[in-house]
Amino acid sequence: SFEVCGVRFDTLPVEHGAGYICTGYAWGPDHAKIILLTDYTTVGPKVMAQLRHWSTGGRRIAVLVLDALARDNPPRVHASLEQSLQLARELRPVATRFVGMSHGIEHYATNRELRKVHAAEGLDVQLAHDGLQMRIDLGI
């Protein structure tokens, strides 16, 4: 971990294709973390245990930002939308935003589909977009 302007950042090593480690980041209070995993194919057991810790016992991830290059066929070096949606389902953050989509994922149609997930499962999942701003209550 490291600190910037008094804010602690935890590093989260994840696999970004076979044999290549990339770093994700987490910051904010334990009860409302912001997690950034924008380049991953696999989340290892140690990082997954930490993510679960931030998602249980009265703690909840405030914002989870995940890779989603392709719809459902996992690319060699990025997660698919389906993989990231499953991770969001497991961790149940307050909000999940998907980034890094390829041209094969149509933004408006996919967000319409994701709104159905929100209605059915109470899971706020959406594709992010340039210029996106979010209000985040960190409780501090």
Side-chain angles (χ1 to χ4, degrees):
S1 67
F2 60 95
E3 196 170 296
V4 176
C5 297
V7 177
R8 178 188 158 144
F9 287 80
D10 294 301
T11 56
L12 305 169
V14 292
E15 193 168 281
H16 183 39
Y20 184 79
I21 301 300
C22 194
T23 304
Y25 299 95
W27 66 95
D30 267 1
H31 66 277
K33 286 283 185 197
I34 299 169
I35 311 285
L36 190 65
L37 298 176
T38 59
D39 290 302
Y40 81 98
T41 51
T42 305
V43 177
K46 185 176 178 183
V47 170
M48 198 63 215
Q50 185 62 60
L51 295 174
R52 286 184 184 120
H53 168 78
W54 289 324
S55 301
T56 59
R59 295 173 295 269
R60 194 161 177 210
I61 295 169
V63 179
L64 181 61
V65 180
L66 296 173
D67 198 7
L69 181 67
R71 181 165 287 281
D72 53 15
N73 293 332
R76 292 182 316 111
V77 294
H78 290 276
S80 69
L81 176 61
E82 190 56 39
Q83 282 176 288
S84 289
L85 184 56
Q86 289 305 327
L87 185 56
R89 282 181 167 125
E90 181 173 349
L91 298 175
R92 307 229 27 106
V94 174
T96 301
R97 297 299 177 263
F98 302 115
V99 298
M101 294 76 66
S102 73
H103 67 281
I105 297 179
E106 201 288 317
H107 191 87
Y108 296 105
T110 303
N111 268 345
R112 274 194 301 277
E113 292 172 31
L114 292 172
R115 280 193 290 278
K116 293 175 187 173
V117 172
H118 186 246
E121 302 176 34
L123 197 59
D124 180 6
V125 289
Q126 297 176 34
L127 300 181
H129 57 84
D130 291 346
L132 176 66
Q133 296 181 19
M134 297 177 68
R135 182 174 299 278
I136 302 168
D137 181 7
L138 296 177
I140 51 176

